[in-house]
Amino acid sequence: MQRFASIIRLRPEKEAEYRELHAAAWPGVLAALKRANIGNYSIYLRDGLLFSYLEYGGEDYAADTAAIGEDPVTREWWARTDPCQQPVDGAAEGEWWAPMEEVFHLD
């Protein structure tokens, strides 16, 4: 099992819309995540920052996440959620959700 965490900024004027979307996440999007071996996925919000945490149980994270990006339902979901977000200042060029480094873990 691999753990991944990342952050992105939530546009303040889009918070209500973002919350509404995630309160009724689309079943097709959830199915695409599960097909990609992603589970225990959470998104938290604090002071305009979204923090995501997920666990990956597959063999090829790059291929599985690429398959998510090819899913038409997920692409439509992103067309609605992406305008709500903006990369954090420290994100690399072209990076959307900025990965975080794990510095501690307790099982």
Side-chain angles (χ1 to χ4, degrees):
M1 182 70 60
Q2 293 176 276
R3 294 177 301 277
F4 293 89
S6 57
I7 58 171
I8 197 164
R9 189 161 302 287
L10 179 63
R11 296 179 188 277
E13 70 278 11
K14 297 285 192 172
E15 181 177 340
E17 179 181 352
Y18 193 82
R19 285 179 180 272
E20 183 177 313
L21 284 164
H22 285 82
W26 298 353
V29 172
L30 302 178
L33 291 167
K34 289 180 182 182
R35 281 192 308 272
N37 301 298
I38 291 175
N40 200 22
Y41 184 18
S42 300
I43 299 175
Y44 297 86
L45 174 61
R46 168 118 189 189
D47 298 331
L49 288 176
L50 293 168
F51 163 79
S52 77
Y53 171 84
L54 62 88
E55 294 175 351
Y56 175 71
E59 299 294 322
D60 188 343
Y61 183 74
D64 283 340
T65 55
I68 294 170
E70 294 169 4
D71 176 64
V73 174
T74 300
R75 293 179 68 80
E76 175 60 28
W77 174 260
W78 289 345
R80 296 189 184 204
T81 59
D82 283 4
C84 299
Q85 306 163 341
Q86 67 183 55
V88 294
D89 292 340
E93 183 69 31
E95 192 171 58
W96 197 244
W97 282 83
M100 300 177 76
E101 178 185 359
E102 183 177 286
V103 296
F104 175 79
H105 176 78
L106 172 68
D107 269 332

